[in-house]
Amino acid sequence: MFSHGADSGGVGVSAGGPVVPARFVWPHGGKRVLVTGSFTRWTEHIPMAPVEGCPTVFQVICQLPPGIYQFKFYVDGEWKHDEGQPTIMTSEYAVVNTLYLTREFDHINNVLSPSTPRSMDVDNENFHRNVSLSDGALQDGSPRISEAAIQISRSRVAEYLNAHSGYDLLPDSGKVIGLDINLPVKQSFHILHEQGIPVAPLWDSHRCRFVGLLSPLDFILILRELETHGSNMTEEQLETHTISAWKEAKRQTYVRNDGQWRSNQHLVHATPYESLRDIAMKILQTGVSTVPIIYSSRSDGSFPQLLHLASLSGILKCICRYFKNSTGSLPILNQPLCTIPLGTWVPRIGEPNGRPLAMLRHNASLSSALNLLVQAGVSSIPIVDENDSLIDTYSRSDITALAKDKVYTHIRLDEMTVHQALQLGQDANSPFGLFNGQRCQMCLRSDPLLKVMERLANPGVRRVFIVEAGSKRVEGIVSLSDIFKFLLS
C-alpha cells in the first residue's frame, strides 16, 4: 500500500520496478483537498497540503511507476477535476484528469507550478515534455510513443470530431465558385487558374442539382487523351467541348474494376449537420479531396444551397485550433514525428519489404510526372537532385498553369520538362500551391507532430516532405490522409 517517502516528503508506492516522483496540484483553493485515482485503485484518498506562500494551491508528491494514471480531486466534500489539466471521460467516474509518466524521469512532474503564470499553453507543453513514456526505440534511437498514449489521443480526437459538425467548417465570409456543366472544358480550367482554386462543384441547371466536381485530375486526363494517337478530341473541339460531354466520355473510357479510376454515379457530399468525423470518413473512404457541404430544406434535396467545400485540411485546422492551447491533453502532439508510426519513409538499406518513394528529377518529362500522379494516386511528387535532395514539388494543381494563354495547345507533354512546367506557373496567381511563399512544405524527423499538422492544415498543402537537416535529402512523406487514417484508426 502507500507510505510516506522519507526523501521526497511525498507519498510512495511499494513496487518491484523503478518509481519516479509525480506532483499532483489543485490550484483552485479550498479548505480540505484530497486526491485519489487509479494509482490507489480509487480506494484511498491522499491528503494534499497548501503550498507555502500560495494558500489557494494544494499539492502532494507521489512516487509512482511509469505509466498512465487517472485521478480526481475531493475538495471540501465534492468530487472535482481540474479543467486546466488533461482530462478524459470515463464511464465509472465521469470526467477525470490524466497523468502520463515516463520511465526516465529525473525531476518532479510540474503539472502546474504555483510560480508559473496561469497559461495552460505553457503549462501543458512543459507537462507533456516531462511525461513522454518510452516504449521501444526506432531506428534512429528515438523512443517510440506507447500504444496507450496513441489510444488516449485517438479517443480525444474522436470525441471532438463527433461533437462538432459541418457548420464548424463554415468561414465567417467567403465565396464558393460553382461551374455549369454546359461550360466548355477549356473555359472551365481557365476559370480555375484565374480564380486560384483547385476544385469546383458542377451544377446541372436542368436537374437543379450539383452533380459532380471538376478537378485538376480531369485536366490531366484530357491532356493525356489529346496526346494519345487516335484520340477523338482535337484542340479545336476542346474549345467547345462541354464539361458534361467530357464527364460522360470519362465514364465510358476510365471505368475499370482494377482498383484504379472509377466513375462515381453520384456526387459525394455532406450536410452541415453531419459530424466532422463522418465527413472525414467520407473523404477517406471515397478517395476524393473535397466534399461539398450542401443544405436543402426539402426532403427530396431540391433547391440545394452550396455552403462550403470541406477538405481534410479544413478539419485538421479545427483540430489544431482546439488542441493547440492544451497540447497536454493529446500525448502525441509534442512527440517527434519519428517516434510515431505515421507516413511513408524511404526504406533503409537491407530493410525487408521497403517501398521506394515516388520521386522525379527536374529534367524528367511532364508526361512522366502526370503519369506518376495518376498511377500512384498521389497529390504531389517531390522533385529532387542527383543526391535525392528536395528542390521542388509538382502537384496536380500545377497542371492548371497550362490553361494560361492556352499553353497546352502548342506543347508536347513528353518534350516539356517538369522544370519548364513549373516555370510556367511562377507568375501564376494561384495561391493554393503556396504557403508562406513556399511551394515545398518540409519538416525534420525530430519536429513535433503538431508542427506537421499545422503545416498540413493550410489550404493547398496535402503532403509534407520529411528531409534530412542540412542536405534536404528526402527521408519520407506525411500526407493529410496519413494523419487522419492514423487518428481515426
Side-chain angles (χ1 to χ4, degrees):
M1 288 298 293
F2 286 79
S3 60
H4 290 284
D7 294 335
S8 65
V11 176
V13 60
S14 177
V19 295
V20 291
R23 174 187 291 154
F24 294 90
V25 178
W26 173 259
H28 305 295
K31 295 181 179 178
R32 187 166 183 263
V33 182
L34 303 97
V35 65
T36 188
S38 56
F39 49 91
T40 71
R41 298 184 179 179
W42 300 95
T43 59
E44 182 177 348
H45 300 174
I46 302 174
M48 304 178 69
V51 175
E52 185 177 355
C54 299
T56 61
V57 178
F58 290 75
Q59 72 171 359
V60 66
I61 299 171
C62 297
Q63 302 293 331
L64 302 175
I68 299 176
Y69 298 96
Q70 299 175 1
F71 62 97
K72 204 158 186 172
F73 300 97
Y74 193 65
V75 183
D76 298 335
E78 293 185 23
W79 287 108
K80 295 185 178 182
H81 66 275
D82 184 5
E83 290 287 355
Q85 300 180 39
T87 60
I88 190 172
M89 174 64 73
T90 67
S91 58
E92 190 171 359
Y93 303 106
V95 180
V96 298
N97 291 116
T98 60
L99 176 64
Y100 185 33
L101 289 179
T102 180
R103 290 190 179 99
E104 297 178 359
F105 196 77
D106 55 5
H107 56 282
I108 295 176
N109 168 41
N110 187 12
V111 176
L112 183 65
S113 171
S115 61
T116 303
R118 287 285 294 165
S119 168
M120 292 317 300
D121 187 14
V122 174
D123 295 333
N124 282 329
E125 285 182 0
N126 288 335
F127 163 79
H128 187 80
R129 185 162 54 248
N130 292 343
V131 292
S132 301
L133 182 63
S134 170
D135 186 21
L138 296 186
Q139 293 175 345
D140 62 354
S142 301
R144 181 183 286 272
I145 189 170
S146 72
E147 185 62 28
I150 292 175
Q151 293 305 324
I152 286 177
S153 299
R154 286 173 174 165
S155 174
R156 288 172 182 165
V157 169
E159 181 181 354
Y160 168 79
L161 293 177
N162 285 325
H164 293 77
S165 69
Y167 275 115
D168 293 284
L169 297 176
L170 305 186
D172 294 332
S173 62
K175 65 178 180 180
V176 181
I177 296 177
L179 301 175
D180 193 285
I181 60 171
N182 292 316
L183 279 174
V185 171
K186 173 259 177 182
Q187 183 181 351
S188 302
F189 283 108
H190 184 77
I191 292 173
L192 293 183
H193 172 71
E194 290 297 320
Q195 295 295 324
I197 55 176
V199 177
L202 299 176
W203 173 256
D204 187 335
S205 55
H206 294 291
R207 299 168 59 189
C208 295
R209 293 179 183 276
F210 290 99
V211 294
L213 293 172
L214 189 70
S215 72
L217 176 60
D218 290 298
F219 199 20
I220 291 174
L221 296 178
I222 287 174
L223 292 181
R224 293 175 68 196
E225 183 176 337
L226 285 174
E227 294 222 339
T228 301
H229 295 294
S231 170
N232 295 323
M233 188 189 301
T234 65
E235 286 86 346
E236 292 76 15
Q237 289 174 322
L238 188 60
E239 297 288 331
T240 57
H241 203 64
T242 64
I243 299 174
S244 61
W246 157 248
K247 288 292 187 180
E248 180 59 31
K250 178 184 174 184
R251 274 194 290 269
Q252 296 176 7
T253 305
Y254 292 98
V255 175
R256 301 177 184 177
N257 294 319
D258 58 1
Q260 298 186 25
W261 301 112
R262 292 171 297 173
S263 164
N264 286 323
Q265 299 300 318
H266 64 279
L267 172 65
V268 179
H269 70 282
T271 70
Y273 304 111
E274 292 183 51
S275 72
L276 294 185
R277 187 182 188 280
D278 288 342
I279 296 175
M281 291 303 298
K282 276 188 177 181
I283 295 175
L284 291 177
Q285 291 169 356
T286 59
V288 298
S289 62
T290 304
V291 169
I293 296 182
I294 299 174
Y295 169 76
S296 175
S297 59
R298 304 292 185 89
S299 58
D300 61 355
S302 58
F303 300 101
Q305 299 179 40
L306 179 62
L307 303 181
H308 186 62
L309 296 181
S311 64
L312 292 181
S313 62
I315 299 174
L316 187 61
K317 187 172 184 178
C318 291
I319 295 175
C320 292
R321 184 168 56 236
Y322 183 79
F323 289 103
K324 182 175 182 178
N325 292 327
S326 57
T327 52
S329 62
L330 282 189
I332 61 172
L333 286 186
N334 285 329
Q335 284 290 326
L337 185 62
C338 63
T339 68
I340 304 171
L342 180 67
T344 304
W345 295 76
V346 173
R348 296 178 180 272
I349 297 176
E351 183 179 353
N353 302 322
R355 290 188 308 161
L357 288 179
M359 296 185 284
L360 288 174
R361 302 282 190 262
H362 66 88
N363 58 353
S365 69
L366 180 57
S367 177
S368 63
L370 300 184
N371 289 338
L372 193 54
L373 285 171
V374 174
Q375 293 168 3
V378 295
S379 59
S380 62
I381 302 170
I383 309 301
V384 299
D385 62 15
E386 60 278 2
N387 298 315
D388 287 344
S389 296
L390 186 66
I391 56 178
D392 211 326
T393 179
Y394 193 83
S395 305
R396 286 187 191 178
S397 54
D398 289 322
I399 195 66
T400 57
L402 298 183
K404 184 179 181 181
D405 301 325
K406 296 192 289 187
V407 171
Y408 61 86
T409 63
H410 54 267
I411 66 165
R412 287 195 58 84
L413 300 181
D414 55 356
E415 294 177 356
M416 173 174 276
T417 67
V418 172
H419 176 68
Q420 292 170 332
L422 288 171
Q423 285 184 318
L424 288 174
Q426 285 183 352
D427 298 326
N429 297 321
S430 304
F432 52 82
L434 299 175
F435 171 53
N436 288 345
Q438 298 180 8
R439 286 180 46 83
C440 298
Q441 293 307 303
M442 298 174 286
C443 71
L444 304 178
R445 61 169 52 234
S446 58
D447 284 339
L449 178 61
L450 178 61
K451 181 177 180 179
V452 178
M453 290 171 58
E454 288 178 332
R455 291 273 174 96
L456 287 168
N458 285 275
V461 179
R462 297 187 62 189
R463 306 179 97 192
V464 170
F465 302 106
I466 309 164
V467 299
E468 184 181 62
S471 69
K472 292 187 180 179
R473 184 176 60 84
V474 176
E475 295 187 316
I477 296 175
V478 177
S479 68
L480 273 169
S481 58
D482 289 335
I483 294 287
F484 278 88
K485 288 177 183 177
F486 171 73
L487 291 177
L488 298 180
S489 295

